[in-house]
Amino acid sequence: MLNGQEDKNIWILQPLFIGLLLTPLWMLPTLYFVWLFLDWKTPNQGGRRSAWVRNWRIWTRIRDYFPITIQKTKDLSPSHNYVMGVHPHGLLTFGAFCNFCTESTGFSKTFPGITPHLATLSWFFKIPIIREYLMAKGVCSVSQPSLDYLLSHGTGNLVGIVVGGVGEALQSVPNTTTLILQKRKGFVRTALRHGAHLVPTFTFGETEVYDQVLFHEDSRMYKFQTLFRRIFGFYFCIFYGQGFRQDSLGLLPYHRPIVTVVGEPLPLPRVENPSPEMVDKYHALYMDALYKLFDQHKVQYGCSDTQKLLFL
């Protein structure tokens, strides 16, 4: 989950780091690549989080820019593990980033004894330096081995999965509450296999911080976006926000509140090989809980009373 100027600096370091191979300092990247080979499995074995990185001051500045907050409706017991659905994806998932990858909104104080992990695309962890940075923030791979490890080693682990994935990014425009969820059932199956509780969440304001240019499905640009996703795993989106001057357009997000509401956990039995019917049952219960969570809090956090949560 890459956000902010700090993340841009990390990407810039990539070619510089590799370029050291052609200098008298070639030993440094060489030693790192040896380390990378020996440490290859760590992202799928719980990662390597750093309290220091999660508490960098820059995260509080990002938090205050919007601002971003987290609200709980129920406590989460450290005696259980949790699979948390993160909705909606938005364009850059600012809410999920600040709330679960940093301590800027006080996650540890809000949910004592719970260790959060936000799952992202697996190929990020194959990139030198990027993998170290992501693991330090508590980000994990969304691969099945990674999820299985976290949910089977100890308790108090919470894995956040952006269920709508990159496809939901194209739904990210202001005043819409449409989620790609009806056919996304893998997270429910994973929770059942480990007896983890399902936790619905909804981040109000996540889709309000940018405007996006949408293209018709028959257009060349839409086809390019689809091809781009097949190659790189995420969509190439054209979006805009505000500029540095008042009332100007630019790439800065709008100053609009982002609030992540964490719902009541849904207990699941532990079933090693859940049947499709069982998965469907708990998937339906999860969608119902998510719908009620949205409906109960929508007016308080900026939606109209007639706004409906739609599932695709």
Side-chain angles (χ1 to χ4, degrees), residues 244-285:
F244 289 101
R245 292 180 299 176
Q246 188 174 6
D247 299 325
S248 65
L249 297 180
L251 292 180
L252 292 176
Y254 299 120
H255 290 279
R256 293 172 182 169
I258 296 176
V259 183
T260 297
V261 181
V262 181
E264 182 177 358
L266 176 64
L268 268 64
R270 183 174 182 176
V271 182
E272 186 172 348
N273 293 301
S275 65
E277 292 76 18
M278 179 172 285
V279 173
D280 288 345
K281 170 187 174 182
Y282 284 100
H283 183 262
L285 290 174

Side-chain angles (χ1 to χ4, degrees), residues 55-83:
N55 282 280
W56 280 353
R57 186 172 297 179
I58 190 173
W59 311 141
T60 61
R61 299 193 176 207
I62 295 175
R63 175 201 66 192
D64 294 340
Y65 177 89
F66 295 95
I68 298 173
T69 56
I70 186 171
Q71 299 292 335
K72 72 174 179 180
T73 59
K74 296 289 182 178
D75 291 329
L76 300 181
S77 170
S79 62
H80 301 291
N81 285 326
Y82 303 89
V83 173

Side-chain angles (χ1 to χ4, degrees), residues 8 21 27 34 46-47 61 73 81-83 97 100 106 115 164 171 191-192 204 236 238 264 276 307 311:
K8 295 176 183 178
L21 289 169
M27 183 60 72
V34 172
R61 299 193 176 207
T73 59
N81 285 326
Y82 303 89
V83 173
F97 168 75
F100 309 124
T115 303
Q171 306 289 334
L192 280 167
F204 293 90
F236 177 84
I238 298 179
E264 182 177 358
Q307 188 80 30
F311 298 132

Side-chain angles (χ1 to χ4, degrees), residues 91-141:
L91 281 168
L92 295 179
T93 58
F94 286 109
F97 168 75
C98 274
N99 288 318
F100 309 124
C101 300
T102 81
E103 285 297 327
S104 62
T105 58
F107 182 92
S108 294
K109 293 181 180 179
T110 304
F111 297 103
I114 302 299
T115 303
H117 301 266
L118 186 63
T120 191
L121 298 174
S122 301
W123 68 267
F124 280 131
F125 296 93
K126 299 178 182 179
I127 306 175
I129 302 179
I130 295 295
R131 69 191 295 275
E132 318 300 338
Y133 172 63
L134 290 176
M135 286 192 291
K137 293 194 295 186
V139 179
C140 69
S141 168

